[in-house]
Amino acid sequence: MINGNDIVSTAKSLLGKVKYVFGGTNIQGGEGDCSSFTQYVYKQNGITIGRDTETQWTGTGSKISRSELVTGDLVFFKDTYNSNHTDGVSHVGIYIGGDEFIHLCSRGVITSSLNEDYWNRHYLGAKHIDSVSGDKTVISGDTIVNLGFKDFMKDQAESIINYVAIAFVFILGVVFIGLSIWQIGVEN
């Protein structure tokens, strides 16, 4: 079983290194399209998937709901151009967790949020490749059950601590300035 984090790691190693060429398949040579990117990333991890978005959408793997996404799953989009493919499928990327995915588009290999208006409007669905085990963070009420993404959650905690520290210093500064102005007023 291949770990979804390995799929993501392979995909991230290509950030900024591949330019988009419609129908292109030479990812190692620095050019390709969205589906040759996903095919290449999976192939580097020993998994064979179809060459184009339509065969990846209709072929290998199990269709899953958005709430079931785990790292390494394929995410599909429709009507980003007139593809004439099944269900209008026209773009594919790899889910990396935190409602984000990595994909090859006109700006090269980048990460994007599934919650961005454009991607949210064009979202078609997702597929889980059966030989990949991914990580998922489940949020239930006030409890976060971490089934992976430990580094992600650690980074979030560190960010919150940094924001609290900055806010505390800011408040101290405001209080100090206020007291200084008050003292000047009292002395006059």
Side-chain angles (χ1 to χ4, degrees):
M1 178 90 41
I2 304 298
N3 188 301
N5 291 330
D6 295 336
I7 300 286
V8 171
S9 179
T10 302
K12 284 185 173 181
S13 74
L14 298 168
L15 280 166
K17 295 180 181 174
V18 183
K19 69 178 183 173
Y20 182 84
V21 174
F22 185 81
T25 60
N26 190 6
I27 300 297
Q28 279 185 305
E31 61 181 42
D33 63 14
C34 63
S35 55
S36 67
F37 169 72
T38 53
Q39 182 188 43
Y40 176 85
V41 168
Y42 273 85
K43 183 77 170 168
Q44 295 305 300
N45 286 277
I47 300 169
T48 301
I49 62 174
R51 161 58 196 101
D52 61 42
T53 52
E54 184 170 33
T55 56
Q56 289 177 15
W57 175 243
T58 60
T60 308
S62 308
K63 289 183 181 174
I64 57 171
S65 70
R66 190 164 167 173
S67 64
E68 295 174 297
L69 280 168
V70 295
T71 55
D73 286 341
L74 293 172
V75 288
F76 294 88
F77 304 89
K78 62 182 177 181
D79 303 325
T80 58
Y81 73 95
N82 189 8
S83 68
N84 292 319
H85 291 321
T86 304
D87 300 325
V89 65
S90 57
H91 192 67
V92 62
I94 298 169
Y95 186 70
I96 62 174
D99 281 336
E100 294 190 342
F101 67 104
I102 188 167
H103 56 124
L104 177 55
C105 64
S106 60
R107 297 182 310 190
V109 177
I110 63 169
T111 60
S112 298
S113 172
L114 290 171
N115 297 320
E116 289 175 30
D117 183 57
Y118 180 83
W119 296 115
N120 196 34
R121 277 187 291 120
H122 291 280
Y123 185 79
L124 174 62
K127 292 195 77 177
H128 179 73
I129 306 303
D130 299 327
S131 54
V132 176
S133 67
D135 290 336
K136 181 178 180 79
T137 300
V138 178
I139 301 174
S140 173
D142 293 333
T143 307
I144 297 178
V145 180
N146 192 344
L147 306 176
F149 290 118
K150 290 176 184 157
D151 292 333
F152 172 77
M153 295 309 291
K154 180 181 171 192
D155 290 345
Q156 296 305 310
E158 288 172 359
S159 293
I160 291 169
I161 291 168
N162 288 339
Y163 288 130
V164 169
I166 290 168
F168 182 73
V169 169
F170 176 76
I171 291 169
L172 282 178
V174 169
V175 169
F176 178 75
I177 291 170
L179 286 174
S180 297
I181 292 171
W182 177 76
Q183 186 176 9
I184 292 170
V186 169
E187 290 175 357
N188 291 334

mmCIF file of all heavy atoms in Angstrom, residues 165-179:
data_model
loop_
_atom_site.group_PDB
_atom_site.id
_atom_site.type_symbol
_atom_site.label_atom_id
_atom_site.label_comp_id
_atom_site.label_asym_id
_atom_site.label_seq_id
_atom_site.Cartn_x
_atom_site.Cartn_y
_atom_site.Cartn_z
ATOM 1 N N ALA A 165 0.901 36.249 20.705
ATOM 2 C CA ALA A 165 2.058 37.002 21.188
ATOM 3 C C ALA A 165 2.092 38.398 20.576
ATOM 4 O O ALA A 165 2.334 39.396 21.270
ATOM 5 C CB ALA A 165 3.355 36.254 20.876
ATOM 6 N N ILE A 166 1.826 38.500 19.282
ATOM 7 C CA ILE A 166 1.814 39.808 18.615
ATOM 8 C C ILE A 166 0.700 40.677 19.186
ATOM 9 O O ILE A 166 0.903 41.863 19.461
ATOM 10 C CB ILE A 166 1.657 39.626 17.092
ATOM 11 C CG1 ILE A 166 2.938 39.018 16.511
ATOM 12 C CG2 ILE A 166 1.334 40.951 16.404
ATOM 13 C CD1 ILE A 166 2.796 38.527 15.079
ATOM 14 N N ALA A 167 -0.480 40.093 19.389
ATOM 15 C CA ALA A 167 -1.594 40.849 19.952
ATOM 16 C C ALA A 167 -1.262 41.330 21.361
ATOM 17 O O ALA A 167 -1.562 42.485 21.725
ATOM 18 C CB ALA A 167 -2.859 39.987 19.971
ATOM 19 N N PHE A 168 -0.625 40.490 22.165
ATOM 20 C CA PHE A 168 -0.253 40.868 23.526
ATOM 21 C C PHE A 168 0.729 42.033 23.523
ATOM 22 O O PHE A 168 0.562 43.002 24.266
ATOM 23 C CB PHE A 168 0.349 39.648 24.249
ATOM 24 C CG PHE A 168 0.728 39.924 25.670
ATOM 25 C CD1 PHE A 168 -0.251 40.063 26.642
ATOM 26 C CD2 PHE A 168 2.060 40.051 26.040
ATOM 27 C CE1 PHE A 168 0.089 40.323 27.958
ATOM 28 C CE2 PHE A 168 2.411 40.310 27.348
ATOM 29 C CZ PHE A 168 1.419 40.451 28.317
ATOM 30 N N VAL A 169 1.748 41.973 22.671
ATOM 31 C CA VAL A 169 2.728 43.060 22.569
ATOM 32 C C VAL A 169 2.039 44.339 22.106
ATOM 33 O O VAL A 169 2.315 45.435 22.620
ATOM 34 C CB VAL A 169 3.889 42.663 21.620
ATOM 35 C CG1 VAL A 169 4.773 43.852 21.287
ATOM 36 C CG2 VAL A 169 4.710 41.538 22.241
ATOM 37 N N PHE A 170 1.125 44.222 21.146
ATOM 38 C CA PHE A 170 0.395 45.393 20.659
ATOM 39 C C PHE A 170 -0.414 46.030 21.784
ATOM 40 O O PHE A 170 -0.391 47.253 21.977
ATOM 41 C CB PHE A 170 -0.525 44.989 19.496
ATOM 42 C CG PHE A 170 -1.378 46.116 19.000
ATOM 43 C CD1 PHE A 170 -0.832 47.112 18.202
ATOM 44 C CD2 PHE A 170 -2.720 46.189 19.341
ATOM 45 C CE1 PHE A 170 -1.610 48.154 17.745
ATOM 46 C CE2 PHE A 170 -3.511 47.227 18.899
ATOM 47 C CZ PHE A 170 -2.954 48.218 18.091
ATOM 48 N N ILE A 171 -1.123 45.208 22.549
ATOM 49 C CA ILE A 171 -1.942 45.728 23.653
ATOM 50 C C ILE A 171 -1.058 46.398 24.699
ATOM 51 O O ILE A 171 -1.377 47.476 25.200
ATOM 52 C CB ILE A 171 -2.807 44.600 24.267
ATOM 53 C CG1 ILE A 171 -3.886 44.188 23.264
ATOM 54 C CG2 ILE A 171 -3.432 45.032 25.591
ATOM 55 C CD1 ILE A 171 -4.622 42.924 23.624
ATOM 56 N N LEU A 172 0.076 45.779 25.022
ATOM 57 C CA LEU A 172 1.006 46.396 25.972
ATOM 58 C C LEU A 172 1.481 47.748 25.454
ATOM 59 O O LEU A 172 1.594 48.721 26.223
ATOM 60 C CB LEU A 172 2.205 45.481 26.232
ATOM 61 C CG LEU A 172 1.981 44.312 27.175
ATOM 62 C CD1 LEU A 172 3.247 43.477 27.279
ATOM 63 C CD2 LEU A 172 1.564 44.792 28.548
ATOM 64 N N GLY A 173 1.769 47.819 24.159
ATOM 65 C CA GLY A 173 2.207 49.080 23.555
ATOM 66 C C GLY A 173 1.131 50.150 23.662
ATOM 67 O O GLY A 173 1.415 51.304 23.999
ATOM 68 N N VAL A 174 -0.111 49.778 23.387
ATOM 69 C CA VAL A 174 -1.223 50.728 23.475
ATOM 70 C C VAL A 174 -1.393 51.199 24.912
ATOM 71 O O VAL A 174 -1.569 52.394 25.176
ATOM 72 C CB VAL A 174 -2.527 50.091 22.930
ATOM 73 C CG1 VAL A 174 -3.735 50.948 23.263
ATOM 74 C CG2 VAL A 174 -2.428 49.857 21.428
ATOM 75 N N VAL A 175 -1.321 50.280 25.855
ATOM 76 C CA VAL A 175 -1.449 50.645 27.272
ATOM 77 C C VAL A 175 -0.303 51.573 27.675
ATOM 78 O O VAL A 175 -0.523 52.604 28.338
ATOM 79 C CB VAL A 175 -1.486 49.377 28.161
ATOM 80 C CG1 VAL A 175 -1.334 49.736 29.637
ATOM 81 C CG2 VAL A 175 -2.776 48.606 27.927
ATOM 82 N N PHE A 176 0.914 51.263 27.294
ATOM 83 C CA PHE A 176 2.070 52.089 27.628
ATOM 84 C C PHE A 176 1.914 53.501 27.046
ATOM 85 O O PHE A 176 2.145 54.493 27.739
ATOM 86 C CB PHE A 176 3.360 51.440 27.114
ATOM 87 C CG PHE A 176 4.587 52.268 27.381
ATOM 88 C CD1 PHE A 176 5.125 52.332 28.649
ATOM 89 C CD2 PHE A 176 5.183 53.002 26.360
ATOM 90 C CE1 PHE A 176 6.257 53.108 28.904
ATOM 91 C CE2 PHE A 176 6.310 53.767 26.594
ATOM 92 C CZ PHE A 176 6.846 53.822 27.878
ATOM 93 N N ILE A 177 1.538 53.586 25.783
ATOM 94 C CA ILE A 177 1.345 54.902 25.155
ATOM 95 C C ILE A 177 0.219 55.655 25.845
ATOM 96 O O ILE A 177 0.338 56.850 26.124
ATOM 97 C CB ILE A 177 1.069 54.744 23.640
ATOM 98 C CG1 ILE A 177 2.336 54.252 22.931
ATOM 99 C CG2 ILE A 177 0.579 56.055 23.023
ATOM 100 C CD1 ILE A 177 2.120 53.826 21.496
ATOM 101 N N GLY A 178 -0.872 54.957 26.150
ATOM 102 C CA GLY A 178 -1.991 55.597 26.849
ATOM 103 C C GLY A 178 -1.573 56.122 28.212
ATOM 104 O O GLY A 178 -1.923 57.252 28.592
ATOM 105 N N LEU A 179 -0.821 55.329 28.955
ATOM 106 C CA LEU A 179 -0.353 55.779 30.268
ATOM 107 C C LEU A 179 0.607 56.957 30.132
ATOM 108 O O LEU A 179 0.579 57.893 30.947
ATOM 109 C CB LEU A 179 0.328 54.625 31.014
ATOM 110 C CG LEU A 179 -0.605 53.547 31.570
ATOM 111 C CD1 LEU A 179 0.203 52.394 32.148
ATOM 112 C CD2 LEU A 179 -1.550 54.118 32.604
#
